[in-house]
Amino acid sequence: MATTAPVHPVDEVPPVRQLAAFGLQHVLAMYAGAVAVPLIVGGAMKLSPADLAYLITADLLVCGIATLIQCVGFWRFGVRLPIMQGCTFAAVSPMVLIGTTGGGLPAIYGSVIVAGLAIALLAPVFGRLLRFFPPLVTGTVILIIGVSLLPVAGNWAAGGVGSADFGAPRNIGLAAFVLAVVLGVQRFAPAFLSRIAVLIGIAVGLAVAVPFGFTDFDGVGDADWVGISTPFHFGAPVFEASAIISMLVVALVTMTETTGDLIAVGEMTDRKVDSRSLSDGLRADGLSTVLGGVFNTFPYTAYAQNVGLVGMTRVRSRWVVATAGAMLVLLGLLPKLGAVVAAIPAPVLGGAGLVMFGTVAASGLRTLAEVDFKGNHNLTVVAVSVAMGVLPVGVPTLYAKFPDWFQTVMTSGISAGCVTAIALNLLFNHLPGKGSSPASAGSDSSAGSDTPAGSDGSRATGLPAV
């Protein structure tokens, strides 16, 4: 009898009820971040409430489409891993500057379209750079991603940035309660329930929040039942050179961040990302960004908070995240449903976020455990890279007096840490020094042994040495 080949966990299709529960969990994990970008940009431009609502529904719609492209894929678009897509925060400052200095939304969308085309064209080039991401670099980047996201969870737990009762004990108490529920479900509940611990924690937290006055459902009644985003709703795109240049810098930053996220998910799901799949993932980012410029929204990238959710739940199916993408499309077409999700209090999301983002950081440590730290400078590489990645998180105004292009790169802890890790890995492990040649800095020293070829662990993962 013929036997069927086993299906990789990434390609498994869970039962419908599990798809729905796991997918909703991913939507709730990224929703606050997804709507924050249009709220910040639209608020800075002093758009009307109606235009702000339009930006949010357009964003949710394209978030869903972008996620489907990335997870399901077609031809050479999509990494086909459980990757959730959303608006990148790296573009917020440049877009606010473009929008408030006379260009308006049309100039933003013109630069976004050009940036999306550039990402799609540069994807194969970036794919060939995968050899610069051995475990020493990827583990460090994943660690930085998790650490840099923790302040986001902290702000949520305190009530959300700008809230009147920011830091109130009752906010922290609600977040701590949700965290306790998530941990309790993970520890004591049956296997299936433990995998939706975040969803259960948010649901229980919301149930507790309602009677204590944390929630405001007024926006649900005001929202429309149906809303469809039409191309170029705010006018035809305008292509200004200065706006395009600043957005191209953002494109390089988001490509770096996406590369780290894709490699992280590949590690978590036991489907390592190779040069071709990395190119396909970045090409999907480019296409989604072009769609963003056409359908009145912004540049798209992989969302690190959902990377943490994949690691925490150990649910590796890309069809779960594709289901979440379909839910986002529905939320984008039905604004009233989106308003219901938006009513979830920030402290509830904060309690769940602490677990998810901490999981990302812990995954980075697990990857670094594969690296040899004896008799080499790898500890220095990790130490300085983490420091450079955490600096802009801890001191957001550190680079305020630097040029805009420099701020765009270095105020993102992920891109700053990633660039530093790549540069230091090259400096210490691959450039000649102390009388050695580049070749002897790694692979030749362990030829014929069962240990990884390079001190950075490059051969251990099948990645070619630089």
Side-chain angles (χ1 to χ4, degrees):
M1 293 178 61
T3 58
T4 58
V7 178
H8 193 282
V10 169
D11 299 317
E12 285 182 352
V13 182
V16 173
R17 67 184 181 90
Q18 293 185 18
L19 277 175
F22 293 147
L24 179 59
Q25 191 169 232
H26 274 281
V27 170
L28 296 178
M30 62 82 67
Y31 189 91
V35 301
V37 174
L39 280 175
I40 294 170
V41 176
M45 296 180 63
K46 296 179 170 56
L47 297 182
S48 67
D51 285 343
L52 274 176
Y54 194 95
L55 281 183
I56 291 171
T57 55
D59 175 37
L60 294 174
L61 175 65
V62 181
C63 275
I65 295 172
T67 299
L68 289 170
I69 293 172
Q70 196 69 273
C71 294
V72 179
F74 67 93
W75 190 51
R76 295 298 304 278
F77 292 86
V79 71
R80 295 167 176 83
L81 285 172
I83 293 288
M84 202 82 182
Q85 298 283 103
C87 282
T88 175
F89 282 86
V92 169
S93 295
M95 289 191 300
V96 168
L97 186 64
I98 295 167
T100 56
T101 54
L105 286 172
I108 292 176
Y109 294 140
S111 64
V112 168
I113 291 171
V114 173
L117 293 173
I119 292 173
L121 292 174
L122 290 173
V125 178
F126 241 76
R128 287 194 287 272
L129 298 179
L130 188 62
R131 66 183 185 275
F132 292 99
F133 290 85
L136 175 64
V137 174
T138 58
T140 303
V141 171
I142 296 168
L143 173 60
I144 292 170
I145 290 172
V147 172
S148 64
L149 283 172
L150 286 173
V152 176
N155 284 323
W156 286 347
V161 176
S163 62
D165 61 345
F166 185 86
R170 73 181 204 137
N171 291 337
I172 306 297
L174 178 58
F177 171 73
V178 172
L179 174 61
V181 172
V182 172
L183 295 176
V185 171
Q186 272 202 305
R187 175 63 180 85
F188 299 108
F192 169 69
L193 291 179
S194 69
R195 291 178 177 177
I196 56 170
V198 170
L199 179 59
I200 294 173
I202 291 174
V204 173
L206 181 59
V208 171
V210 172
F212 284 94
F214 282 90
T215 53
D216 180 6
F217 290 102
D218 291 343
V220 178
D222 297 335
D224 295 329
W225 279 105
V226 179
I228 299 176
S229 179
T230 55
F232 307 123
H233 174 80
F234 295 99
V238 175
F239 301 95
E240 296 182 355
S242 58
I244 290 171
I245 291 171
S246 63
M247 204 56 66
L248 288 176
V249 175
V250 170
L252 293 175
V253 173
T254 58
M255 292 178 80
T256 303
E257 293 180 349
T258 296
T259 298
D261 290 332
L262 296 187
I263 292 173
V265 172
E267 295 274 352
M268 292 175 180
T269 58
D270 295 323
R271 177 174 280 181
K272 297 292 178 67
V273 172
D274 56 21
S275 295
R276 174 168 177 148
S277 57
L278 175 58
S279 299
D280 293 348
L282 292 172
R283 197 177 285 112
D285 264 12
L287 175 59
S288 301
T289 298
V290 172
L291 290 176
V294 172
F295 285 96
N296 319 293
T297 180
F298 308 115
Y300 285 85
T301 187
Y303 257 29
Q305 48 262 58
N306 295 86
V307 174
L309 190 57
V310 170
M312 194 194 94
T313 62
R314 299 185 298 279
V315 177
R316 296 179 281 178
S317 172
R318 61 190 172 107
W319 297 106
V320 164
V321 181
T323 301
M327 291 178 179
L328 286 174
V329 171
L330 190 63
L331 291 173
L333 295 175
L334 300 175
K336 197 171 287 291
L337 284 180
V340 172
V341 178
I344 297 174
V348 173
L349 296 175
L354 287 171
V355 184
M356 294 186 298
F357 304 161
T359 300
V360 178
S363 297
L365 293 175
R366 183 175 59 188
T367 301
L368 287 173
E370 304 173 11
V371 178
D372 180 16
F373 287 98
K374 296 180 180 178
N376 54 45
H377 299 284
N378 287 342
L379 195 62
T380 301
V381 175
V382 176
V384 177
S385 300
V386 171
M388 293 299 294
V390 173
L391 270 178
V393 177
V395 190
T397 58
L398 180 66
Y399 303 115
K401 297 186 183 301
F402 283 74
D404 291 339
W405 66 267
F406 186 88
Q407 292 186 48
T408 301
V409 177
M410 297 303 292
T411 54
S412 166
I414 297 172
S415 62
C418 186
V419 169
T420 304
I422 294 172
L424 292 183
N425 178 53
L426 288 174
L427 174 65
F428 286 112
N429 291 322
H430 299 287
L431 293 181
K434 298 182 180 179
S436 64
S437 65
S440 65
S443 56
D444 291 345
S445 61
S446 57
S449 70
D450 292 331
T451 57
S455 58
D456 57 2
S458 55
R459 187 177 294 171
T461 57
L463 303 181
V466 180

